[in-house]
Amino acid sequence: MRGQRQISEVQVRDHGWQTSATDILRVFSEHMRSKYRPIQVDGDSVRTMLEAGYGCVPDAWKETLELPITAEELEVVVFKGDSKKSPRRDGVGLGFFKLLWEDIAGDMRTLFIQMLRDRQLSERHKQGVIVCIPKNARPHTPKDYRPITLLNTDYKIIARLITARVRPILAELLHPNQYCGVPGNTIFDAVATVRDAIAYAETTRRPVCVVSLDFKQAFDRISHTYLLTVLRSYGFNAGFIKCIRMKYENATSVIQVNGHISTPIPIQCGV
């Protein structure tokens, strides 16, 4: 199995095949550096998109978002997570937290409250490890590999805490036709809507056009500037937006190929 995970060669346009461990790591590092470079955002285009209409965070909920994390919230987030997820290089996975929870719960709550209150995370917290999984049986170039980022468990817990705070108001903020991520909505609702629309068109003999769009690398190609602009337009307060910025500002990752680790590269787009 270990031999199957080895990348013995990689093809580079105009440079042929690279076979040495150093060159293979360099090729993947350069590819990822380009992939996660900043995305230029046109301000006028963003404003046009936002004019399409959106909800606004209720004033009462703005105060809720600023409240300190409770012991119950933290425990739910920790025990709801999957213990089998691969940990980062430090080897500390969610199973460690669950096993020792009775002993560390109080200290961990104090730590997370301080992180969110001060809007500060260390560089180590925000550094991921990118491993590359082949998309097909005969991968040749870095694009033939799917990058998977292993993140610090503390970092993932903070992300889940923020998500849990926002989830109850998503239905008020997003368009009724938004299904992903909205409590109570599933992909089956979307399929049923399309089915009903087609059935209605057939019954009434009206023309209908169904368009299916699949955005390439959708989560990797999100501009952080755009993300923060949208959050402000929804009426999230400055403190909450600082928490989101904290997660992405100066974030880095190293690439692991064949057991070798690259120097850190900046992650300047994606979620």
Side-chain angles (χ1 to χ4, degrees):
M1 289 298 293
R2 183 176 179 82
Q4 294 177 4
R5 293 196 299 267
Q6 294 288 315
I7 300 176
S8 59
E9 57 184 9
V10 62
Q11 189 175 30
V12 183
R13 180 183 294 181
D14 300 328
H15 294 282
W17 291 91
Q18 306 297 312
T19 57
S20 74
T22 301
D23 288 336
I24 292 173
L25 182 61
R26 174 183 53 78
V27 170
F28 275 90
S29 182
E30 291 175 353
H31 172 73
M32 296 302 171
R33 186 179 296 274
S34 174
K35 179 183 179 71
Y36 293 111
R37 68 185 184 278
I39 298 175
Q40 299 301 316
V41 175
D42 180 74
D44 291 336
S45 298
V46 173
R47 284 188 289 273
T48 299
M49 291 183 63
L50 295 178
E51 289 173 358
Y54 47 84
C56 190
V57 178
D59 290 336
W61 205 262
K62 293 179 182 179
E63 298 179 3
T64 300
L65 293 173
E66 291 291 320
L67 293 175
I69 297 299
T70 67
E72 291 74 19
E73 283 180 292
L74 182 55
E75 184 171 353
V76 168
V77 165
V78 169
F79 281 88
K80 190 176 181 179
D82 187 355
S83 301
K84 297 179 182 179
K85 292 285 186 178
S86 297
R88 212 177 64 92
R89 277 193 294 170
D90 59 13
V92 180
L94 200 57
F96 170 84
F97 287 84
K98 292 181 179 181
L99 181 64
L100 300 178
W101 190 245
E102 291 186 5
D103 299 317
I104 66 174
D107 292 334
M108 296 309 299
R109 177 171 177 259
T110 300
L111 175 63
F112 288 122
I113 287 177
Q114 181 178 340
M115 287 178 175
L116 293 172
R117 181 194 63 210
D118 298 341
R119 278 89 183 185
Q120 289 186 351
L121 287 174
S122 70
E123 293 183 3
R124 295 291 294 174
H125 276 111
K126 294 189 286 187
Q127 186 177 96
V129 178
I130 298 177
V131 295
C132 300
I133 309 299
K135 297 179 182 179
N136 53 61
R138 301 184 64 184
H140 297 310
T141 71
K143 291 183 178 181
D144 294 326
Y145 292 83
R146 179 173 291 104
I148 304 295
T149 303
L150 307 180
L151 296 170
N152 187 294
T153 301
D154 293 354
Y155 183 90
K156 290 190 286 187
I157 290 175
I158 286 181
R160 290 168 183 158
L161 287 169
I162 296 174
T163 301
R165 281 282 177 96
V166 175
R167 184 176 287 116
I169 58 172
L170 287 180
E172 298 181 45
L173 300 178
L174 303 177
H175 191 279
N177 288 343
Q178 171 69 34
Y179 296 100
C180 179
V182 178
N185 290 356
T186 71
I187 189 64
F188 300 109
D189 297 314
V191 173
T193 298
V194 173
R195 179 199 61 199
D196 293 344
I198 294 174
Y200 177 79
E202 291 176 343
T203 301
T204 59
R205 297 184 180 278
R206 294 186 178 185
V208 65
C209 178
V210 178
V211 179
S212 177
L213 300 177
D214 183 11
F215 291 96
K216 184 179 179 180
Q217 301 177 3
F219 291 100
D220 288 335
R221 302 303 297 164
I222 294 179
S223 161
H224 293 165
T225 300
Y226 171 75
L227 172 64
L228 297 176
T229 300
V230 171
L231 289 176
R232 283 191 289 269
S233 71
Y234 276 111
F236 286 97
N237 56 27
F240 178 83
I241 293 175
K242 285 180 180 179
C243 286
I244 301 300
R245 183 185 291 114
M246 166 192 73
K247 291 177 68 269
Y248 297 114
E249 197 169 51
N250 299 322
T252 62
S253 281
V254 296
I255 296 89
Q256 178 175 300
V257 177
N258 297 336
H260 299 283
I261 301 292
S262 73
T263 56
I265 63 169
I267 304 298
Q268 297 170 302
C269 67
V271 294

